[in-house]
Amino acid sequence: MRYLSFRFAVSTCAFILMLFTYAVTFAGAPAKNYYQLKIYHYKSQSQEDKIEHYLQQAYVPAMHRAGIKNVGVFKPVTQQDTNRMIYVFTPFTSFESLVGSANKIQEDTKYLADGKEYIDADYKEAPYTRLETIILQAFPGMPSTAVPNLTANKTDRVYELRSYESATEKYNINKVKMFNTGDEINIFKTLGFNAVFYGEVIAGSHMPNLMYMTTFNSKEDRDKHWDAFGSAPAWKALTAQAQYANNVSHADIIFLHPVVYSDF
């Protein structure tokens, strides 16, 4: 009986020690941001004007009042007449704040007044054809966003949004590992890619995938950076590792311009 009591005491102490170790480790890890990327699909200039007025006069200021300092608003460098788009990137410090933002913004009377035309639009005069939403979790290697350190005017800058799809969830986990454990993020940082974010998509239409955004003073500046990246010894060494083979099945590259009221 004493032996059983001793074993129970030892097991209990070991369990408590495990919980304590886990708590210390978890507490010491940097909190990761969650990102919401909205893509407005529209066709007409009238729709674009309504969306832009809403974003500039209502949504972005409301996010600022809610404590979110930086909201990104972007347009494709080349728009398609049949499917024009505006991208809105909003970072949140937690998943709870992201989920609660929709309700919180409805309590902002100034937001409701400033965005009334958009919010109360008639179904026959909808400000967009469809609204796509992507939710991402920040990578451990870059747990929060960064405002680009660029010198060119906003109208001249090129922001590159990339989406890397993988054949299976396992390959996607492997590609995320390549960015973090493999230190691909640091290669971008060392070469001055001015990343805004890196994130794993946890809800979206192209899963499993990850997305990230890098920024440049111009298209020429972007091409020079990618040439340097392709010839970097660290990148060649990373891609030579068999463990990271075949972890991207499809890549989308979207070139964007920040609008004048974008915080990024």
Side-chain angles (χ1 to χ4, degrees), residues 90-131:
T90 310
F92 296 88
T93 55
S94 69
F95 185 72
E96 290 74 18
S97 61
L98 187 157
V99 173
S101 64
N103 289 331
K104 188 173 183 179
I105 204 171
Q106 293 300 319
E107 299 171 358
D108 186 335
T109 55
K110 182 167 176 54
Y111 161 78
L112 296 175
D114 293 341
K116 183 174 176 56
E117 181 185 22
Y118 169 96
I119 296 167
D120 294 338
D122 186 80
Y123 76 98
K124 295 179 181 179
E125 299 292 336
Y128 50 80
T129 55
R130 283 294 83 186
L131 177 57

Side-chain angles (χ1 to χ4, degrees), residues 22-77:
Y22 175 79
V24 170
T25 302
F26 184 79
K32 290 182 290 185
N33 281 190
Y34 286 83
Y35 306 134
Q36 180 190 72
L37 181 63
K38 285 186 175 182
I39 307 173
Y40 289 89
H41 297 262
Y42 63 97
K43 294 180 180 180
S44 70
Q45 186 61 51
S46 174
Q47 287 179 314
E48 181 174 318
D49 292 342
K50 289 178 182 177
I51 297 169
E52 285 241 68
H53 182 272
Y54 163 73
L55 293 174
Q56 184 174 14
Q57 302 299 326
Y59 180 78
V60 174
M63 289 295 102
H64 290 167
R65 288 192 295 273
I68 298 170
K69 294 195 301 182
N70 299 310
V71 178
V73 183
F74 315 94
K75 291 182 180 179
V77 171

Side-chain angles (χ1 to χ4, degrees), residues 41-252:
H41 297 262
Y42 63 97
K43 294 180 180 180
S44 70
Q45 186 61 51
S46 174
Q47 287 179 314
E48 181 174 318
D49 292 342
K50 289 178 182 177
I51 297 169
E52 285 241 68
H53 182 272
Y54 163 73
L55 293 174
Q56 184 174 14
Q57 302 299 326
Y59 180 78
V60 174
M63 289 295 102
H64 290 167
R65 288 192 295 273
I68 298 170
K69 294 195 301 182
N70 299 310
V71 178
V73 183
F74 315 94
K75 291 182 180 179
V77 171
T78 303
Q79 287 275 28
Q80 300 177 21
D81 288 339
T82 55
N83 182 23
R84 301 167 77 177
M85 289 176 279
I86 293 177
Y87 291 73
V88 182
F89 174 74
T90 310
F92 296 88
T93 55
S94 69
F95 185 72
E96 290 74 18
S97 61
L98 187 157
V99 173
S101 64
N103 289 331
K104 188 173 183 179
I105 204 171
Q106 293 300 319
E107 299 171 358
D108 186 335
T109 55
K110 182 167 176 54
Y111 161 78
L112 296 175
D114 293 341
K116 183 174 176 56
E117 181 185 22
Y118 169 96
I119 296 167
D120 294 338
D122 186 80
Y123 76 98
K124 295 179 181 179
E125 299 292 336
Y128 50 80
T129 55
R130 283 294 83 186
L131 177 57
E132 179 182 353
T133 302
I134 301 168
I135 306 299
L136 307 98
Q137 177 179 260
F139 282 0
M142 187 176 175
S144 58
T145 59
V147 176
N149 182 24
L150 300 175
T151 56
N153 294 327
K154 278 189 176 181
T155 53
D156 297 323
R157 298 176 188 177
V158 171
Y159 286 29
E160 185 168 354
L161 178 65
R162 288 196 171 209
S163 171
Y164 289 166
E165 298 175 29
S166 299
T168 67
E169 292 96 325
K170 184 176 179 179
Y171 280 108
N172 182 63
I173 291 170
N174 180 265
K175 184 57 184 176
V176 173
K177 177 184 176 183
M178 187 175 179
F179 270 89
N180 293 282
T181 307
D183 220 15
E184 186 174 345
I185 289 176
N186 192 55
I187 300 174
F188 282 110
K189 185 177 180 180
T190 301
L191 294 175
F193 270 69
N194 276 302
V196 171
F197 76 90
Y198 297 93
E200 180 180 3
V201 175
I202 59 175
S205 59
H206 296 278
M207 297 177 70
N209 70 312
L210 62 86
M211 301 180 78
Y212 67 97
M213 178 182 283
T214 52
T215 65
F216 312 92
N217 282 312
S218 64
K219 181 61 164 58
E220 292 74 21
D221 183 39
R222 177 262 179 199
D223 292 344
K224 288 179 181 178
H225 276 80
W226 277 107
D227 286 343
F229 184 89
S231 60
W235 172 244
K236 290 183 177 180
L238 184 60
T239 54
Q241 297 182 40
Q243 64 173 314
Y244 296 126
N246 306 311
N247 57 15
V248 174
S249 60
H250 177 78
D252 284 316

